[in-house]
Amino acid sequence: MNTNYHFGFYFFAPNGRFEPCGMFTLPHFTAIFICIALISIGLILFHRNHSEKRMNVLLRSSAIVLTVLELLKISHSFIYGDFHLDAWFPLSYCGLFIFAVWMAGFGKNRAKRIGEAYITYGCVIAGVGFLIFPTTSLMSFPIWHYFSLYSLFFHSLMIFTGIIFLHKEKRLNKTTLLYYDSFIFGFSVPAIALNCIFGCNLMNLREPYNIPIEFLQNMYNSIPLLYTCLVMSVYLSIPLIIGGMCGKLKFHGK
């Protein structure tokens, strides 16, 4: 049996073949430490020679790299017969990062600003949320699996890019909030429709999948619609939360 086969056997193993990493385990905490260290180093290096050109290179290269890695993830799901939308369709709050970097990196005018609005106010909190509560990949696969490493890289890149954009943002204005909310609505509406049709949980709008918060679990079990409304409200209010925390919540001008 050759080495390449061994590598694929472990690195691209199907769900259930090996024990998952789990949440709040030693590998999980180790991964958080490594991700924070790499994000910090990246920010230091980037800010030493920051320019609009380098930002565009970052966005465009991120869009291409993430798309290739996401297609590999989708191919893995198809190869092992997991065709359920939750397994492969990149329609989650964090998954919107892929669409946002394409819009911000290659888009023009309004499309570019919409992508930048999501990156500025959505990426940091979503990336940090995943590192603390890795409810998807690390709960299904070992830490050394492709899905786990890709998820850690994906969300670390979200945090890295989001901090850069948030740092240069002077204030949250009404136009930016409108762009952000329109971006979220544009994906949430089809996500809710697909959830109703196929019984999936796109954008976590149907149920609090693996989220260890009893309040949310009880709300979903009692009034599922209320849970959906709450999650949507949180998504739409994230810029207000981040803007307030960072002292950028000043609604005047455009």
Side-chain angles (χ1 to χ4, degrees), residues 37-49:
L38 292 176
I39 292 169
S40 301
I41 294 172
L43 289 172
I44 293 172
L45 295 176
F46 189 86
H47 281 291
R48 284 180 178 177
N49 187 22

Side-chain angles (χ1 to χ4, degrees), residues 58-68 98 101-103 105-106 157:
L58 171 64
L59 292 171
R60 292 177 180 182
S61 59
S62 296
I64 295 171
V65 170
L66 290 179
T67 299
V68 172
I98 299 177
V101 289
W102 275 102
M103 294 173 69
F106 294 95
L157 184 61

Side-chain angles (χ1 to χ4, degrees), residues 117 121 169-181 236-245 247-254:
Y121 290 102
E169 182 81 350
K170 292 183 174 61
R171 65 173 182 268
L172 171 62
N173 55 56
K174 294 178 181 179
T175 302
T176 302
L177 181 61
L178 178 62
Y179 284 156
Y180 170 89
D181 285 348
L236 295 174
S237 63
I238 283 177
L240 301 176
I241 298 171
I242 299 298
M245 293 173 59
K248 300 178 184 294
L249 193 59
K250 299 177 182 179
F251 284 120
H252 56 81
K254 295 182 180 182

Side-chain angles (χ1 to χ4, degrees), residues 199-232:
C200 48
N201 191 34
L202 300 176
M203 291 190 70
N204 278 334
L205 286 169
R206 181 172 178 268
E207 61 177 295
Y209 176 74
N210 278 342
I211 298 177
I213 300 178
E214 186 176 358
F215 166 73
L216 293 178
Q217 298 290 345
N218 292 337
M219 178 183 294
Y220 168 71
N221 291 328
S222 301
I223 313 176
L225 180 59
L226 181 59
Y227 165 79
T228 299
C229 293
L230 175 63
V231 175
M232 272 296 301

Side-chain angles (χ1 to χ4, degrees), residues 99-101 103-104 110-120 183:
F99 303 99
V101 289
M103 294 173 69
R110 184 173 296 177
K112 182 176 181 65
R113 293 183 64 186
I114 290 175
E116 291 177 344
Y118 171 81
I119 294 173
T120 303
F183 182 80

